[in-house]
DNA sequence: TTTCTTTTGCAACTATGTTGCTTTTTTATA
DNA sequence: TATAAAAAAGCAACATAGTTGCAAAAGAAA
């Protein structure tokens, strides 16, 4: 990786953390880097592994929780009961996620993607029910695996 | 409960198990009864509690897994990472779930419902992606809690 | 009833997630 | 840039969730 690029990413990360009044620490930098380096979503386990056993499990849990609280990442529910995390777009703010896109789980490569351009549809509910949030998870084959 | 009604339910349960070539056992009967007795979905923990500590944890896990495999119940992913189970409608068969309805989680009473009459919408995916299944979970306030 | 098959319960284990507390790191400020 | 206050990390211990192998028990079939 060229030095220039990593400086840029470092700056981006530092700004992101400052904007959310979070201390700039190794674990937070590393975990954010993992998210920036890749397109898909990450499960807690992925992060633990990819961080190279450098951080305590508890630190990873707490860091992810902090990121969710601050609106930096959002969670994606999946059928296999393993929460995945993905970076939020800019519209998310503390305590208020605007996560109106569809999520896609590839059954071949098992990656999870945010389809940021696919908005969740309106759901017409029966009388008496009112919706606060709509989660759509599509399972299928992704771009790469379909080739 | 009138005796007549419970005989009917017992018969229904026995038939359901036979149809799926499953032995008729206490735990299976009891767990199916829990599902039939209530409108919402059940999490593993709910079942363990409501079965009155009569069965081993392992038995409950295995029973639920068997029911999922046979297409008797289906799972509902939720944002809090706790899989919930609900009875399938008749169209489901072994190894092949036809679970095209929307699920609703009430943020007040925390119950999960199958909205059998609300079908999942078509999702237009970006080029290269193909869908096998679409899961829609709506969070909001249910009929009872909105009153 | 007896035999064969299926299911259960138990024990032990792995994985996942949480909490309290101490030490270390970061930040703000002098 | 040294230092005090605040925040975060690490550790230990615990709690919950889920899995596996195996022997005992229950169900099905004859």
């Amino acid at each position: 990786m060229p030095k220039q690029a990593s400086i840029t990413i470092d700056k981006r990360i530092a700004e992101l953390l400052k904007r959310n009044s979070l201390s700039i620490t190794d674990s937070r930098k590393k975990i954010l880097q993992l998210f920036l380096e890749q397109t898909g979503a990450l499960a807690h386990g992925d992060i633990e592994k990819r961080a190279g056993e450098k951080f305590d499990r508890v630190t990873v849990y707490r860091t992810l929780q902090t990121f969710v609280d601050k609106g930096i990442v959002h969670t994606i529910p999946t059928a296999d009961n393993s929460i995945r995390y993905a970076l939020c777009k800019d519209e998310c703010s503390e305590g208020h996620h605007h996560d109106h896109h569809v999520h896609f789980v590839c059954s071949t490569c098992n990656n999870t993607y945010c389809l940021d351009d696919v908005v969740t549809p309106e759901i017409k509910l029966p009388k008496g029910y009112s919706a606060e949030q709509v989660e759509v998870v599509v399972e299928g084959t992704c771009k790469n695996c379909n080739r």
Side-chain angles (χ1 to χ4, degrees), chain A:
Chain A
M1 195 194 291
K3 203 177 172 190
Q4 189 59 42
S6 87
I7 286 174
T8 312
I9 287 185
D10 276 3
K11 269 197 178 168
R12 244 178 100 186
I13 289 174
E15 269 165 34
L16 187 56
L17 291 172
K18 273 199 179 155
R19 191 162 60 236
N20 287 284
S21 31
L22 292 174
S23 304
I24 298 169
T25 68
D26 286 353
S27 61
R28 284 174 184 165
K29 280 194 283 185
K30 180 68 186 172
I31 292 174
L32 277 181
Q33 206 190 321
L34 290 176
F35 278 114
L36 289 167
E37 272 172 11
Q38 81 140 49
T39 45
L42 294 167
H44 168 92
D46 300 328
I47 294 164
E48 234 182 291
K49 275 169 219 144
R50 299 205 199 176
E53 284 152 29
K54 223 186 130 199
F55 306 106
D56 195 83
R57 270 158 22 83
V58 180
T59 302
V60 177
Y61 279 114
R62 286 200 268 228
T63 303
L64 287 171
Q65 190 53 57
T66 304
F67 287 173
V68 172
D69 292 346
K70 292 287 182 176
I72 298 172
V73 305
H74 62 269
T75 58
I76 306 170
T78 52
D80 68 340
N81 216 10
S82 70
I83 290 184
R84 300 187 170 236
Y85 300 85
L87 279 181
C88 289
K89 295 283 157 182
D90 302 328
E91 320 96 63
C92 289
S93 58
E94 181 158 2
H96 200 112
H97 288 273
H98 300 271
D99 182 22
H100 294 324
H101 58 269
V102 166
H103 292 115
F104 188 92
V105 180
C106 178
S107 44
T108 304
C109 66
N110 208 30
N111 278 329
T112 303
Y113 305 98
C114 296
L115 304 181
D116 292 306
D117 299 329
V118 185
V119 293
T120 55
E122 279 281 322
I123 305 286
K124 208 176 168 325
L125 296 170
K127 253 207 167 93
Y129 292 83
S130 54
E132 278 148 30
Q133 208 191 342
V134 179
E135 269 292 348
V136 178
V137 180
V138 179
E139 202 193 298
T141 313
C142 76
K143 226 156 129 181
N144 294 327
C145 296
N146 253 335
R147 281 189 292 202

